[in-house]
């Protein structure tokens, strides 16, 4: 309130990174996955590591799929770095797998610089439990959380901006598109695509960012916006979908009344038409009788 940095802000300012990436490292240290997160941050700090020549597009796509971690593009970047490290960052191995050797070496240099800034006792590895890494990613992407709206289509939970899942994303190979995701940034090409996407649990968003999200665990989920008029803050909660019989359900008796009245009108209309037909018949009979009487007179 007085314009001073909080303790978290002071710790974030010690890293030569964007604020979201700095907070990502701090949260990873608490969850015990800072070693993996340093690698992910360094890979995000360089341009795209994969290249796709037009003449060998199918071959490069198959090579990229070998590194995919289905739940996350961030974990895919981590897997690429670990595989490059296992092969001593050789240029021939990188080019054979359609990876930019210079981009990987640049990420290695950024990682070494970050390790110098971080306290040595804070570098902890989570081993093969990469779900903790996905949870730590939520801390940096609270404003870049999205919910599914259609096939490979998402909408930002806070701003409502539509975004699309890129066909080259690792999440496209999951078989089932995740309901909630977080993304690093939006890239505009033919559409607005999300870059570096990770599937997350909505409970993680509520635990890390209670000022933005809350969860009511009853039945199925859907996001509902609630505005607070006092402080002007918009709060998004995950609440339960309405069942039949609650407000918003269609009231059927009204339609039945309309059907009954329409039948009555049809009956009344049919009786009126019968009367008109009878009167016409009587007139025709009277005319024929008059014609017969006139003929008899002439005869």
């Amino acid at each position: 309130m007085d314009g001073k940095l909080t303790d978290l802000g002071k710790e974030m300012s010690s890293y030569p990174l964007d604020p979201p990436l700095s907070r990502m490292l701090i949260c990873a240290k608490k969850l015990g996955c800072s070693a993996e997160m340093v690698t992910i941050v360094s890979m995000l700090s360089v341009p795209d590591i994969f290249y796709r020549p037009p003449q060998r597009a199918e071959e490069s796509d198959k090579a990229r799929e070998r590194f995919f971690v289905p739940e996350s593009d961030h974990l895919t970047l981590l897997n690429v770095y670990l595989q490059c490290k296992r092969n001593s960052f050789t240029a021939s191995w990188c080019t054979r797998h359609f990876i930019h050797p210079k981009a990987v070496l640049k990420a290695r240099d950024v990682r070494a610089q970050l390790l110098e800034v971080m306290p040595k006792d804070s570098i902890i590895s989570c081993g093969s439990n990469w779900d903790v890494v996905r949870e730590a990613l939520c801390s940096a992407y609270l404003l870049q959380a999205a919910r599914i709206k259609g096939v490979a289509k998402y909408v930002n939970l806070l701003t409502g901006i539509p975004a699309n899942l890129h066909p080259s994303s690792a999440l496209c190979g999951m078989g089932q598109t995740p309901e909630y995701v977080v993304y690093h940034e939006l890239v505009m090409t033919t559409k607005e695509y999300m870059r570096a996407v990770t599937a997350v649990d909505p409970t993680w968003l509520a635990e890390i960012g209670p000022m933005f999200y809350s969860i009511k665990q009853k039945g199925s989920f859907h996001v509902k916006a609630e505005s607070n008029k006092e402080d002007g803050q918009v709060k998004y909660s995950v609440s339960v979908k309405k069942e039949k019989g609650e407000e918003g359900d269609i009231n059927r008796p009204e339609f039945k009344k309309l059907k009954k009245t329409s039948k009555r009108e049809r009956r009344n209309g049919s009786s009126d038409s019968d009367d008109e037909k009878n009167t016409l018949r009587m007139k025709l009979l009277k005319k024929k009788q008059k014609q017969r009487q006139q003929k008899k007179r002439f005869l």
Side-chain angles (χ1 to χ4, degrees):
M1 296 297 292
D2 54 359
K4 294 182 179 179
L5 285 174
T6 60
D7 294 336
L8 178 61
K10 291 178 181 178
E11 190 174 359
M12 288 170 60
S13 62
S14 62
Y15 295 99
L17 298 167
D18 292 335
L21 299 179
S22 300
R23 184 171 181 179
M24 193 187 299
L25 287 176
I26 296 169
C27 186
K29 182 170 59 177
K30 295 178 181 178
L31 294 174
C33 58
S34 57
E36 288 76 13
M37 194 59 70
V38 173
T39 304
I40 293 173
V41 170
S42 62
M43 294 290 278
L44 290 172
S45 303
V46 299
D48 193 5
I49 58 171
F50 290 104
Y51 66 94
R52 190 172 184 263
Q55 300 83 2
R56 304 172 65 186
E58 293 183 3
E59 188 179 353
S60 63
D61 291 340
K62 290 180 181 179
R64 180 184 299 204
E65 289 176 0
R66 295 172 187 169
F67 299 97
F68 278 177
V69 178
E71 299 86 359
S72 172
D73 290 334
H74 296 86
L75 294 178
T76 298
L77 294 175
L78 174 61
N79 188 29
V80 170
Y81 184 87
L82 294 176
Q83 294 299 326
C84 290
K85 183 179 179 181
R86 189 173 298 174
N87 290 274
S88 304
F89 299 99
T90 55
S92 59
W93 184 89
C94 291
T95 52
R96 190 166 63 251
H97 292 84
F98 297 91
I99 298 172
H100 285 293
K102 292 183 179 180
V104 178
L105 293 175
K106 178 67 176 176
R108 186 182 64 177
D109 295 339
V110 173
R111 186 177 184 274
Q113 293 175 6
L114 291 175
L115 290 175
E116 292 178 359
V117 176
M118 295 177 64
K120 292 183 180 180
D121 57 348
S122 65
I123 302 170
I124 306 169
S125 176
C126 62
S128 59
N129 184 20
W130 284 1
D131 288 339
V132 184
V133 180
R134 291 194 295 127
E135 186 177 354
L137 289 169
C138 290
S139 63
Y141 300 129
L142 289 175
L143 302 180
Q144 286 118 281
R147 186 184 180 183
I148 192 169
K149 190 179 180 182
V151 180
K153 294 182 180 179
Y154 286 83
V155 60
N156 190 290
L157 291 177
L158 296 179
T159 62
I161 297 174
N164 296 275
L165 191 64
H166 199 274
S168 63
S169 175
L171 275 70
C172 290
M174 287 184 66
Q176 184 178 2
T177 311
E179 188 174 1
Y180 291 92
V181 297
V182 292
Y183 57 91
H184 181 63
E185 61 183 359
L186 290 176
V187 179
M188 185 65 185
T189 55
T190 55
K191 294 182 181 179
E192 206 159 10
Y193 288 106
M194 297 180 289
R195 177 176 175 264
V197 187
T198 293
V200 296
D201 191 336
T203 56
W204 298 341
L205 296 171
E207 291 173 0
I208 299 172
M211 69 291 294
F212 297 112
Y213 308 100
S214 62
I215 292 183
K216 298 176 183 177
Q217 295 180 343
K218 293 180 182 179
S220 57
F221 298 120
H222 78 285
V223 178
K224 181 181 177 183
E226 298 175 356
S227 60
N228 191 351
K229 295 182 179 179
E230 295 180 359
D231 55 0
Q233 185 180 5
V234 179
K235 194 173 185 179
Y236 289 77
S237 62
V238 182
S239 57
V240 186
K241 290 182 179 178
K242 292 181 179 179
E243 302 293 339
K244 290 184 178 179
E246 297 184 8
E247 294 181 8
D249 193 14
I250 297 173
N251 195 0
R252 297 296 179 190
E254 294 180 0
F255 295 98
K256 290 182 180 178
K257 288 179 182 178
L258 290 173
K259 289 179 181 179
K260 287 180 181 178
T261 54
S262 62
K263 286 180 181 179
R264 288 174 186 172
E265 288 176 358
R266 287 175 185 173
R267 288 173 185 172
N268 293 332
S270 62
S271 60
D272 293 338
S273 62
D274 292 338
D275 294 337
E276 290 177 0
K277 288 179 181 179
N278 291 328
T279 52
L280 289 171
R281 287 174 184 173
M282 293 298 291
K283 287 180 181 180
L284 290 171
L285 287 171
K286 286 180 181 180
K287 283 183 180 181
K288 288 181 179 180
Q289 287 176 358
K290 286 181 180 180
Q291 290 175 359
R292 287 175 184 174
Q293 288 176 359
Q294 288 177 358
K295 287 181 180 179
K296 287 179 181 179
R297 286 177 186 177
F298 287 115
L299 293 171

